[in-house]
Amino acid sequence: MRLILASASPARLQTLRSAGLVPEVIVSGVDEEALGGPPPAELAQVLADAKAEAVATRLDDEGAGASADWLLVGCDSVLELDGAAHGKPGTPEIATQRWQAMRGRCGVLHTGHRVIRRAGDRVLSAGRTGSTEVHFADLSDAEIAAYVASGEPLEVAGAFTIDGLGGAYVRSIVGDPHNVVGISLPLLRDLTAEVGVPWHTLWSGTSAG
C-alpha cells in the first residue's frame, strides 16, 4: 500500500518520519488563497479536503484499476487570532505585523486533516480538524525583527513554529503539540482507523494487510 502525504511541508514530513512512517510526497498545487472565506477552523478543513481530493484525483487519473492500493493524507493549518484566519505571511512586512499583533497573547492553531483510502474499487474517507491553544511570549520589537529576518516565519502558518527558532517564543500550548507543527498524530491515528488502517501497520517495514 502506498502512503502519500499531500503537502509540501517539511515539518509534516519529518513528524511522520519520526513516528515511523515513510510517506511519498505529492504536492497538491491547491491555491490556498483562493479558498479563503469560511471561519478559521472550517477553512483549515476546507483546505485540507481540497489538497487531499486534488491528489486523489491525480492518482485516479494515473490509473491502476482493481490493483490500486493507497492511503492519502492531506493537511492544512491556519492560526485564529481575533476571529480571523492567518496562514503563511509570505513577506517580512506581513510577518512583522502578525507578530506585533500576536505577542503576549493567545491564538488557536487549527489543522484540518483528510484521509482517503483506496483499495481497488473501494474508497473510504475521513476528516476532522484539530485545534490547539497557543500562548505567545511578549516579544520586543528587536526580537520580532530578528525572527522575521531569519526567514523562518514567512512560510509557516501563523508566522511561527514550535520545532524551530520560534520555539522560544511560545510560552505554552493547550492541546496536541503535533497539531501545532501541522499534523496531529493522535487525530491521524483515529482517522486511519476509521478507514480501516490500524496505525501500527503504517510503521516502516510493515503492511496494512
Side-chain angles (χ1 to χ4, degrees):
M1 182 184 68
R2 296 171 68 186
L3 175 61
I4 299 153
L5 176 63
S7 171
S9 167
R12 290 191 182 106
L13 179 59
Q14 185 56 52
T15 298
L16 290 177
R17 285 176 172 170
S18 296
L21 282 62
V22 185
E24 59 180 287
V25 174
I26 301 179
V27 181
S28 69
V30 169
D31 182 356
E32 299 176 13
E33 298 300 324
L35 298 177
E42 183 180 339
L43 175 61
Q45 190 63 53
V46 167
L47 290 166
D49 292 347
K51 287 183 175 182
E53 289 161 7
V55 173
T57 297
R58 193 181 312 170
L59 291 170
D60 285 339
D61 288 344
E62 290 176 359
S67 64
D69 189 13
W70 46 259
L71 180 71
L72 169 66
V73 179
C75 297
D76 203 276
S77 302
V78 299
L79 176 72
E80 179 177 357
L81 189 70
D82 295 327
H86 300 287
K88 302 169 185 173
T91 69
E93 293 76 18
I94 295 177
T96 298
Q97 292 170 7
R98 296 269 179 86
W99 267 100
Q100 288 172 342
M102 289 163 23
R103 58 183 170 188
R105 301 183 61 201
C106 172
V108 179
L109 197 289
H110 302 288
T111 298
H113 300 69
R114 173 60 58 182
V115 170
I116 301 176
R117 167 77 163 114
R118 176 177 280 282
D121 294 332
R122 189 166 61 103
V123 179
L124 299 171
S125 179
R128 202 168 309 139
T129 297
S131 300
T132 303
E133 192 174 283
V134 184
H135 296 261
F136 299 104
D138 190 4
L139 274 63
S140 66
D141 288 345
E143 287 176 307
I144 292 175
Y147 186 40
V148 171
S150 76
E152 182 180 89
L154 273 62
E155 297 301 325
V156 289
F160 77 99
T161 68
I162 62 168
D163 57 339
L165 298 179
Y169 304 138
V170 176
R171 287 206 169 278
S172 64
I173 64 170
V174 179
D176 176 19
H178 298 106
N179 193 65
V180 181
V181 176
I183 186 164
S184 170
L185 296 180
L187 177 52
L188 190 58
R189 171 181 170 268
D190 291 342
L191 296 178
T192 62
E194 287 183 30
V195 299
V197 181
W199 181 255
H200 65 275
T201 66
L202 296 172
W203 292 339
S204 179
T206 65
S207 172

